[in-house]
Amino acid sequence: MAVTIRDVARVSGVHVSTVSRTLSAAHLVSPDTRARVLAAADALGYRPNRAARALSTSRTGNLGLIVADIANPFFPPLVKSAQAQARERDYHVFVADTDERPEVEEELVRSMAKQVDGVLLVAPRLANRVIAELSRELPLVVVNRRLRGVPGVLMDVGSGARQALDHLLGLGHREIALATGPHTAWTSREIERAAEGLAAERGVLLQRIGPNPPTEEGGRSAAEEVAASGASAVLAHNDLMAFGLVRQAAGLGLSVPGDLSVVGVDNSHVAQYCSPALTTVEMPVSAAGRGAVDLLLQAVGAGDPPGTVSLETGLVVRESTAPPRGVGAVD
Amino acid sequence: MAVTIRDVARVSGVHVSTVSRTLSAAHLVSPDTRARVLAAADALGYRPNRAARALSTSRTGNLGLIVADIANPFFPPLVKSAQAQARERDYHVFVADTDERPEVEEELVRSMAKQVDGVLLVAPRLANRVIAELSRELPLVVVNRRLRGVPGVLMDVGSGARQALDHLLGLGHREIALATGPHTAWTSREIERAAEGLAAERGVLLQRIGPNPPTEEGGRSAAEEVAASGASAVLAHNDLMAFGLVRQAAGLGLSVPGDLSVVGVDNSHVAQYCSPALTTVEMPVSAAGRGAVDLLLQAVGAGDPPGTVSLETGLVVRESTAPPRGVGAVD
DNA sequence: CACATACCTGCAAACGTTTGCAAGTATCTC
DNA sequence: GAGATACTTGCAAACGTTTGCAGGTATGTG
């Protein structure tokens, strides 16, 4: 029923192999046959069957993109840019959501393996060992995860976290809490590492809260502990948790930023609209999506694993941070 | 290199066709050979090649999901639920973003056609004629578009819009603007139709503003016109535009809801966090995603086009609406 | 015991491409 | 004008599955 290469061959009076070459190695066919073939293909509305092509070339023209939670506002811009970049290179993208479950993540990679040329793991929750194992079976690129032997794009959230902490210290805060996300997330560990490093330098002790799920709900849970800790400021694992924190803090009678300063991470679209507008670490999400696709295609093409790309982050100061009660700004 | 059905056959000492049957028509093979085959498959870590399977069955096990703008917060929950539902049925999902460009939309469907069993068009911007044409080539399901002959899931935004307008009228507003989105979007026309219908009933004239792109930027543009129109309330095409409106209104010296009441549509995640929290029409987005996948798979399987499913919407009143200046609430 | 029936398995073609190989023709060089 | 060279094309195998057909063995029936 569908029009195949055979139909085009029949109509243009050449062998199928000539049609094939016209379409994928044009320089191997004479100008006039090429013209005839293209005319026929056009007239018939021929589109190559990518599955069939995949079978003989073992190149599918597809990529997999696996994220923990599409509904988390951190991901959509990344999905968007990755998908756009892929399409520009004539690739299609499978998108899958793991619901934050590592075992689903692994199963997804495995089930996609035969159907894609490579997979992008964004903020994977999988154990290093498993990722390394998978990357032996097909080209893999990780985003926000550092793993030797596996190319990756990192958003240097550590430097952003340090800026955030520096900002809070500058405002005069001394009792600062760190609301951590899943310990399987590289960003979470990275934020802890960077923040605690800087805190140590400055002779301040950070209260570590959590881990909690990287969701609004997780932020609410964290709020109780933060309140109990008596901290005057908190650095949340991401914007979603920060929103939950702000919300629940209000429920506990704490105003933000009056009683509690809150800093998020992601600078998701939402951060600028919420009330109070959220001070947050900006992540170069779109660039990461594009870069990851480029890296992946490079790995697919060349076979030699390119290295790790690191992207800058920065702090966006808005309204959710202020000096603690009874203290004027210090810097 | 990859393990194929042939390897499994060799190891288990049967013909490939027996392996194939074991995996896709288990009742046709004796229990003990089945056991042997499964053991071998398991030992080798065999995974069927879906592309090859597609070639002989002409069933790919893939679906396409095409949206106008993944970064628009309306879409992610839909993508998430659709993808989850598909995965439960052992389908993989291609996700593509059209950047609001109809011609990209068409091209995407065509380029996916051979690789999927059906496509979900979410809030398509394409002309009816083109959609109808495409649906003759492969199973199609539309979300938020009414089109005879093409199964679809509709979120009855009209009733939500009427509730919203009723709410505004109840507050005492008489000068109400309608900030419309792309006229190619069904929801946009539906909102206009419903709101203008109700307005006529109540003897009020709506100021139609736009169309503007359904983005924050579009909302900003609309704000100028709304301010010039002297309206005391505005119903925006979606939440994103509503945010832009609120923002730009502030820039023009209008406070929300004091000088201007704003209602959005979508009840996206953001609406509850922004300031002021947005009064908005709630869309059953997750249910729509699941329902659309079910409909599509039904169409793929049975071949008989199922009908149209309509889902309820409702109004969520928050803080962005209030009586107009100098008027107490009427109801 | 002969025959029909049910069950299980192998054979081989088909799905729509790509691609190495060989054969044919035209062009070039001396 | 002969041989070498460069182009262009067709042939057929291969990619990994599925599936209609036929053959074979066991089981059941009278």
Side-chain angles (χ1 to χ4, degrees):
Chain A
M1 47 194 71
V3 27
T4 80
I5 204 176
R6 227 178 294 276
D7 301 314
V8 180
R10 191 165 29 72
V11 170
S12 52
V14 298
H15 194 259
V16 292
S17 57
T18 303
V19 177
S20 172
R21 275 188 280 256
T22 305
L23 267 31
S24 45
H27 62 281
L28 289 179
V29 27
S30 78
D32 54 338
T33 33
R34 181 188 331 162
R36 234 167 352 128
V37 169
L38 290 179
D42 200 50
L44 295 173
Y46 169 75
R47 293 276 187 149
N49 181 324
R50 296 182 135 214
R53 178 177 289 179
L55 203 49
S56 66
T57 60
S58 59
R59 283 298 207 73
T60 63
N62 299 329
L63 300 179
L65 174 56
I66 298 184
V67 302
D69 177 12
I70 304 181
N72 179 329
F74 169 75
F75 293 103
L78 194 150
V79 174
K80 182 173 174 117
S81 72
Q83 173 275 148
Q85 187 80 350
R87 198 160 66 75
E88 203 152 296
R89 310 275 193 273
D90 203 27
Y91 275 76
H92 286 162
V93 181
F94 286 112
V95 174
D97 177 304
T98 69
D99 248 332
E100 299 274 355
R101 301 213 303 273
E103 71 283 6
V104 174
E105 200 171 323
E106 181 177 1
E107 172 54 25
L108 275 169
V109 176
R110 293 226 139 87
S111 76
M112 279 185 182
K114 293 270 181 36
Q115 235 178 343
V116 299
D117 296 335
V119 169
L120 230 60
L121 287 179
V122 185
R125 310 301 195 218
L126 238 28
N128 277 353
R129 195 183 44 73
V130 183
I131 300 185
E133 199 178 303
L134 290 171
S135 90
R136 244 170 281 123
E137 301 181 20
L138 82 169
L140 229 57
V141 163
V142 290
V143 174
N144 280 0
R145 185 80 172 237
R146 185 189 290 282
L147 205 56
R148 26 176 307 171
V150 182
V153 174
L154 295 177
M155 307 185 221
D156 179 15
V157 68
S159 97
R162 267 190 302 273
Q163 289 176 52
L165 187 54
D166 186 62
H167 166 67
L168 291 173
L169 291 168
L171 288 170
H173 293 278
R174 287 299 173 267
E175 302 286 338
I176 301 178
L178 200 60
T180 63
H183 66 282
T184 48
W186 172 82
T187 44
S188 191
R189 299 193 306 265
E190 188 68 9
I191 291 171
E192 285 170 43
R193 207 172 55 81
E196 285 173 352
L198 181 61
E201 276 176 37
R202 303 287 181 86
V204 176
L205 192 64
L206 255 37
Q207 309 253 11
R208 201 191 284 201
I209 307 279
N212 282 289
T215 59
E216 196 222 330
E217 204 35 52
R220 287 177 189 269
S221 314
E224 315 266 350
E225 279 187 80
V226 171
S229 77
S232 64
V234 55
L235 174 56
H237 167 256
N238 67 10
D239 285 354
L240 231 39
M241 287 188 72
F243 298 141
L245 260 160
V246 170
R247 276 294 173 102
Q248 190 68 9
L252 296 169
L254 296 175
S255 85
V256 175
D259 303 308
L260 183 69
S261 284
V262 176
V263 180
V265 171
D266 284 354
N267 192 22
S268 56
H269 207 220
V270 202
Q272 60 183 301
Y273 297 121
C274 65
S275 169
L278 195 65
T279 294
T280 185
V281 173
E282 174 158 37
M283 302 278 251
V285 185
S286 296
R290 278 191 302 274
V293 166
D294 282 344
L295 229 52
L296 185 53
L297 291 181
Q298 215 172 309
V300 168
D304 59 351
T308 290
V309 173
S310 185
L311 303 173
E312 288 305 303
T313 66
L315 184 69
V316 180
V317 176
R318 296 204 179 89
E319 308 158 4
S320 65
T321 48
R325 281 262 181 261
V327 177
V330 171
D331 65 345
Chain B
M1 44 196 69
V3 26
T4 79
I5 204 175
R6 227 178 295 274
D7 301 314
V8 180
R10 191 166 29 73
V11 170
S12 50
V14 299
H15 194 261
V16 292
S17 56
T18 303
V19 177
S20 171
R21 276 187 280 256
T22 305
L23 268 30
S24 42
H27 61 282
L28 289 179
V29 28
S30 79
D32 55 337
T33 35
R34 181 188 331 163
R36 238 170 346 132
V37 169
L38 289 179
D42 199 49
L44 295 173
Y46 169 75
R47 293 276 188 148
N49 181 324
R50 296 182 135 216
R53 178 177 288 180
L55 204 49
S56 66
T57 60
S58 59
R59 281 298 206 74
T60 62
N62 298 329
L63 299 180
L65 174 56
I66 298 183
V67 302
D69 178 12
I70 304 181
N72 179 331
F74 169 74
F75 293 102
L78 194 150
V79 174
K80 183 173 174 116
S81 70
Q83 175 274 147
Q85 186 80 350
R87 197 161 65 75
E88 202 152 298
R89 310 275 194 272
D90 202 28
Y91 274 77
H92 286 161
V93 181
F94 286 113
V95 175
D97 177 305
T98 69
D99 248 333
E100 299 274 355
R101 302 214 302 273
E103 70 283 6
V104 174
E105 200 171 324
E106 181 177 3
E107 172 54 25
L108 275 169
V109 177
R110 293 227 138 86
S111 77
M112 281 186 181
K114 293 271 181 35
Q115 236 178 343
V116 299
D117 296 335
V119 169
L120 230 60
L121 287 178
V122 185
R125 310 300 195 219
L126 238 30
N128 278 353
R129 195 183 44 74
V130 183
I131 300 184
E133 198 177 305
L134 290 171
S135 89
R136 242 171 281 124
E137 301 181 20
L138 83 170
L140 229 57
V141 164
V142 290
V143 174
N144 279 359
R145 185 80 172 236
R146 185 189 290 281
L147 205 56
R148 25 177 308 172
V150 181
V153 174
L154 294 177
M155 307 184 221
D156 180 15
V157 68
S159 95
R162 267 189 301 273
Q163 289 176 52
L165 187 54
D166 185 61
H167 166 66
L168 291 174
L169 290 168
L171 288 171
H173 292 279
R174 288 298 172 271
E175 301 285 336
I176 303 179
L178 199 61
T180 63
H183 66 283
T184 49
W186 173 82
T187 44
S188 190
R189 297 193 307 264
E190 188 68 9
I191 292 170
E192 285 170 44
R193 207 172 55 82
E196 286 174 351
L198 181 60
E201 276 175 35
R202 303 288 182 86
V204 176
L205 192 64
L206 256 37
Q207 308 254 12
R208 200 190 285 199
I209 306 280
N212 282 290
T215 60
E216 195 221 331
E217 205 33 54
R220 286 177 191 268
S221 314
E224 315 267 350
E225 278 187 82
V226 171
S229 78
S232 64
V234 55
L235 174 56
H237 167 257
N238 68 9
D239 285 355
L240 230 39
M241 287 189 71
F243 299 141
L245 260 160
V246 170
R247 275 295 172 103
Q248 191 67 11
L252 296 169
L254 296 176
S255 84
V256 175
D259 302 308
L260 183 68
S261 285
V262 176
V263 180
V265 171
D266 284 353
N267 191 24
S268 57
H269 207 220
V270 201
Q272 61 185 301
Y273 298 122
C274 64
S275 169
L278 195 65
T279 295
T280 185
V281 173
E282 174 159 36
M283 301 278 250
V285 184
S286 297
R290 278 192 302 276
V293 166
D294 282 344
L295 229 52
L296 185 53
L297 290 181
Q298 215 172 310
V300 168
D304 59 351
T308 290
V309 173
S310 185
L311 303 173
E312 287 305 301
T313 66
L315 184 69
V316 179
V317 177
R318 297 205 179 88
E319 309 157 4
S320 65
T321 47
R325 281 261 180 262
V327 177
V330 171
D331 65 347

